[in-house]
Amino acid sequence: MEYVLGYRSPSNKKADKGTIVHKVLEILAYVKLNIQNKEDFFIDDIIGKVLVNKYNLNTIIEKVYNYYTSKFTHHEWEVKDYKDCHSWVYKALEYNNGMFDPRNRDIICPEQHFDIEIAKPWAKYKYDTSEGPLEGNLAIKGTIDLITRVDDKTMEIIDWKTGRRLDWATGQEKTLEKLQQDPQLRIYHYAASHLYPDIDHCMVSINFINDGGAFSICFDKKDLAQTEQMLRSKFEIIKNTQKPKLNKTWKCNKLCHFGKTTFDNSQIPPVAEYREGQVCKKDSYMTKCEQVKHDIELKGIKNVVAQYTVPGYTVGKYKAPGSAE
Ligand code: SF4
């Protein structure tokens, strides 16, 4: 619904509070990077000019908070939300005597964007679309919160999480053992190894500010083959899928925007359920998720992609974290 068809679900408040905390930590990483580069100031896209030796952290938090709360107007923002953001920033900075405070680190790159095409025969794809053939190679895209240097041969990726330490698909807690196989962390290592090929060892530290603190996983070049195998098998499953399986759980009509809403006629007319025994009651409108599933069965995925894609959206679009679009 989101990545292929381009539908957006409204962000939730907890995630937006995470964005605020991330932005403040990013600014502090730029403070340190500019000190390393012997610059006196830099211009941040949200808060403007920052003097690296004369800034007030509380003012930065306030400005970032005001910026995002003025953009994310679909929530009721309360004093408690500000207090949470403020305390989460300090928790991240003070953890283990400032171990993950970006100002105490040798910064390689804050907010490292990556877009890496995998130049292997297995990574090729080709689809016929209504606008002609779409072909290329699988590329992985994302943004790493922070990359720091430990020594000449070792880097440490730092990722902050303000939410629970849960695998939302299974509801199970993420343990150190599970994090070793976590796709996000492995992809970060894969991307960082391509961006910084001279660095052999990579720690990935994921810091659950509100749920257990930091967990560090070590990777080296030998891990790349396994990560690539993981990407390949997921990619092949997706490429070969003609009818995506619905993952129906209690979350559908509690948490998922596409399980709670129907199409509204602006682009796609809603379809009323005409069958018995479906998730939607007979004669009520199908949810967006169910209507798309219904149409895939009826018309095939290619026609559904052509009919349902949001006008102007292309499948390769990447929305950077912190973007308020
Ligand atoms: S409603 Fe359920 S099955 Fe459908 S997209 Fe949402 S989570 Fe997935």
Side-chain angles (χ1 to χ4, degrees), residues 118-138:
I118 301 179
K120 296 274 169 79
W122 65 260
K124 288 196 183 310
Y125 62 82
K126 184 171 181 199
Y127 294 102
D128 294 323
T129 74
S130 52
E131 280 150 20
L134 178 72
E135 60 184 309
N137 274 38
L138 172 68

Side-chain angles (χ1 to χ4, degrees), residues 246-248 252 256 258-259 289:
L246 295 198
N247 191 14
K248 281 276 172 199
C252 295
C256 179
F258 308 112
C289 168

Side-chain angles (χ1 to χ4, degrees), residues 33 41 60 92 119 127 134 158 170-171 183 229 232 254 273 293:
L33 183 63
F41 69 90
I60 293 177
Y127 294 102
L134 178 72
I158 298 174
T170 61
Q229 189 51 43
R232 179 178 181 168
K254 292 273 180 295
E273 183 55 79
K293 173 182 186 272

Side-chain angles (χ1 to χ4, degrees), residues 219-249:
F219 295 108
D220 64 26
K221 304 257 182 218
K222 293 196 294 294
D223 289 288
L224 296 173
Q226 192 190 333
T227 302
E228 207 168 285
Q229 189 51 43
M230 175 197 83
L231 289 169
R232 179 178 181 168
S233 72
K234 291 263 183 213
F235 176 65
E236 285 172 351
I237 290 170
I238 294 169
K239 204 164 73 161
N240 296 329
T241 295
Q242 292 299 315
K243 290 185 191 173
K245 185 166 145 251
L246 295 198
N247 191 14
K248 281 276 172 199
T249 66

Side-chain angles (χ1 to χ4, degrees), residues 241-298:
T241 295
Q242 292 299 315
K243 290 185 191 173
K245 185 166 145 251
L246 295 198
N247 191 14
K248 281 276 172 199
T249 66
W250 61 269
K251 293 172 205 154
C252 295
N253 59 9
K254 292 273 180 295
L255 302 178
C256 179
H257 177 68
F258 308 112
K260 292 194 289 190
T261 53
T262 59
F263 287 103
D264 62 5
N265 260 325
S266 55
Q267 181 202 346
I268 306 280
V271 173
E273 183 55 79
Y274 55 88
R275 304 158 297 179
E276 299 283 0
Q278 300 296 314
V279 183
C280 279
K281 286 202 183 71
K282 194 162 175 274
D283 298 329
S284 67
Y285 284 127
M286 294 182 190
T287 64
K288 286 181 179 158
C289 168
E290 284 165 340
Q291 185 170 328
V292 168
K293 173 182 186 272
H294 168 268
D295 276 22
I296 287 174
E297 280 173 7
L298 206 66

Side-chain angles (χ1 to χ4, degrees), residues 150-166:
V150 177
D151 61 36
D152 286 350
K153 288 286 168 201
T154 314
M155 61 184 148
E156 182 170 6
I157 288 174
I158 298 174
D159 186 69
W160 283 283
K161 298 269 187 248
T162 50
R164 301 271 319 274
R165 186 159 46 90
L166 285 183

Side-chain angles (χ1 to χ4, degrees), residues 112 114 116 140 144 147 155 157 185-204 219-225 227:
Q112 173 76 65
F114 61 87
I116 296 167
I140 51 171
I144 297 172
I147 305 183
M155 61 184 148
I157 288 174
L185 305 192
R186 294 197 81 99
I187 289 171
Y188 280 5
H189 167 239
Y190 189 90
S193 302
H194 279 74
L195 295 168
Y196 303 99
D198 296 337
I199 301 184
D200 293 334
H201 307 291
C202 180
M203 281 190 269
V204 184
F219 295 108
D220 64 26
K221 304 257 182 218
K222 293 196 294 294
D223 289 288
L224 296 173
T227 302

